[in-house]
Amino acid sequence: MPTRGRFTLLTIRGIPVGVDWSWFFVLFLIIWLLSGFYRDILGTSQDSVEPYVLAVVSAFGFFASILLHELGHAVIAQRNGIGISSITLWMFGGVAALDRDPDSAGAEFRIAAAGPAVTMVIGFACLALGVAIDGSTFWEGAGFEENADISTGVAVLAWLANINLLILVFNLLPAFPLDGGRIVRAIVWRLTSNREKATIFSARLGQGFAYAFIAIGIVMLLFGDLFFGAWLALIGWMLGSTARDTANRSKLNTKLGGLRVADVMDSEPVAIPAGATVEQALDEYFLRYRWPWFPVVDAGQRFIGLLNRGTADAVPETNRNSQVVSEIIDPGGSTDQTVGSDEPLDALLANVELRRLGGLAAVDADGRLTGIVTLEQVGRALRDAAT
Ligand SMILES: [Zn+2]
């Protein structure tokens, strides 16, 4: 997916819409190919500018079609409580970046289907408009017969109807990560109630399609269709690697799924009592164990915060015997610094605090400290699951 060389064009519903540099290559190509195409169907002379104007209008129509398709996904995702960080248009179409995966099969289905639904509406709208303007001669134009005697505006509508139909059919192929593949995932997810199984199934199907795209692309290349052959093979290669990564992550999730935080944590954590003086904390904990931080617990073993070495060191020496640690810890961060010991381990994979601190305090339902789980322990569990 494009990340570099991207710049934002506009913001819609709070979503930055950007284009990748490769998009301009596509625009150029469309304008170049279409100007020749319009010259043929309209039967205009070589030096006429009309075909170029039509080609530019068509290219922008194409741009709008893809953007509306992605906005379809984005709006439905937002309605299902999922944020959209960006929409990017690039060489291979559009990408609406969802902040997270949908958490139900229904939401997955609705979000995946929304894009193709928008594309279908655009396609039919172009057809209806064309027929309304030109009547039955529109169909000749829509079939792209040469010298079809249709008005120029209608020729653009005909092209847009066709291209949207093509986008629709291509996106509905059950080739994950295409929309059709996501719809398959949603259906299998609903049928099996197992998200990971559904993901692996649709990703495998996606890989199959990807190999087919590559094979067909290579055949086209060999038969001289260099551009579309290369394009299809490249799309196949990209879809295949995304599908493979997704399947691998799902397999990992399945293996990790049975593991809880309690299974990997150190269940005999060293904790500083809230009533200890800073002097005691430094002597009996920091100097002895040389760890960068310790959990602090109250008399009932409840976790009340973390004490950093730096915070303890910063207390002036004359105060260290009188000041107790509960006074110098930051209670505000305490919820970010804990994880339920019954939580599944994969809940920790994206945890920012775990990465920052190198570990988190594990607590039970009553907030009592039950252990310390470190980044290293999570990493080891991941490596074990991956092999
Ligand atoms: Zn889509």
Side-chain angles (χ1 to χ4, degrees):
M1 298 289 127
T3 46
R4 274 173 294 173
R6 174 194 187 282
F7 64 90
T8 302
L9 283 184
L10 65 163
T11 302
I12 301 174
R13 293 173 66 103
I15 307 163
V17 175
V19 290
D20 181 72
W21 66 268
S22 62
W23 175 256
F24 292 101
F25 171 68
V26 174
L27 271 189
F28 167 77
L29 206 72
I30 288 178
I31 292 169
W32 183 57
L33 290 174
L34 278 182
S35 49
F37 161 79
Y38 281 126
R39 195 162 36 236
D40 288 345
I41 60 163
L42 296 172
T44 54
S45 65
Q46 273 303 326
D47 51 356
S48 168
V49 283
E50 198 180 7
Y52 289 101
V53 175
L54 291 185
V56 170
V57 172
S58 302
F60 280 98
F62 179 65
F63 174 89
S65 299
I66 303 269
L67 180 57
L68 288 170
H69 174 107
E70 296 307 325
L71 277 173
H73 290 304
V75 168
I76 301 300
Q78 285 179 331
R79 277 198 201 151
N80 284 273
I82 299 170
I84 306 286
S85 46
S86 67
I87 290 177
T88 305
L89 302 181
W90 69 314
M91 214 172 134
F92 298 108
V95 183
L98 275 63
D99 289 346
R100 60 181 174 85
D101 266 355
D103 35 34
S104 75
E108 167 90 344
F109 184 89
R110 288 189 292 275
I111 296 167
V118 169
T119 297
M120 196 165 72
V121 169
I122 299 171
F124 278 116
C126 291
L127 281 182
L129 206 58
V131 172
I133 297 171
D134 251 18
S136 57
T137 51
F138 175 75
W139 294 110
E140 294 169 32
F144 300 127
E145 290 166 34
E146 286 193 13
N147 304 316
D149 191 34
I150 53 170
S151 58
T152 50
V154 172
V156 174
L157 284 175
W159 184 77
L160 282 176
N162 274 281
I163 201 74
N164 274 287
L165 185 70
L166 195 70
I167 296 171
L168 179 68
V169 170
F170 184 71
N171 271 294
L172 283 180
L173 289 177
F176 187 92
L178 293 180
D179 296 335
R182 293 182 190 274
I183 289 172
V184 167
R185 172 161 85 161
I187 293 169
V188 177
W189 184 355
R190 171 60 58 83
L191 292 176
T192 60
S193 305
N194 187 326
R195 173 212 207 111
E196 308 302 345
K197 246 188 207 163
T199 304
I200 292 169
F201 175 83
S202 58
R204 290 277 175 258
L205 199 59
Q207 277 182 287
F209 270 94
Y211 292 136
F213 289 159
I214 294 171
I216 296 168
I218 291 173
V219 170
M220 286 170 78
L221 267 173
L222 293 178
F223 280 85
D225 198 341
L226 295 184
F227 176 71
F228 286 105
W231 187 80
L232 192 63
L234 211 55
I235 276 205
W237 177 76
M238 270 186 352
L239 291 178
S241 58
T242 305
R244 192 191 54 232
D245 291 349
T246 308
N248 287 344
R249 202 159 354 106
S250 259
K251 275 196 277 185
L252 197 63
N253 280 347
T254 310
K255 286 185 184 169
L256 282 181
L259 283 180
R260 293 166 312 133
V261 171
D263 295 323
V264 302
M265 71 184 187
D266 168 14
S267 53
E268 284 170 5
V270 178
I272 304 177
T277 62
V278 174
E279 181 76 38
Q280 284 172 319
L282 284 168
D283 281 353
E284 295 167 28
Y285 296 89
F286 286 105
L287 289 179
R288 194 166 150 204
Y289 296 97
R290 305 198 168 273
W291 294 339
W293 53 262
F294 285 89
V296 177
V297 293
D298 68 9
Q301 269 301 107
R302 270 187 300 275
F303 175 81
I304 56 170
L306 294 182
L307 179 61
N308 280 307
R309 173 78 196 245
T311 312
D313 276 339
V315 176
E317 266 179 61
T318 48
N319 297 350
R320 287 181 185 172
N321 258 321
S322 54
Q323 196 145 34
V324 293
V325 296
S326 60
E327 293 166 1
I328 60 169
I329 57 170
D330 167 27
S334 62
T335 48
D336 292 338
Q337 297 159 349
T338 61
V339 60
S341 43
D342 273 337
E343 278 188 51
L345 199 61
D346 57 1
L348 282 179
L349 294 185
N351 192 299
V352 182
E353 282 299 290
L354 175 66
R355 264 161 229 286
R356 195 174 67 80
L357 295 166
L360 290 177
V363 294
D364 65 13
D366 299 322
R368 276 189 298 265
L369 183 74
T370 52
I372 294 286
V373 58
T374 63
L375 192 56
E376 200 197 324
Q377 288 163 337
V378 175
R380 201 181 312 131
L382 271 177
R383 278 195 298 278
D384 291 348
T387 50

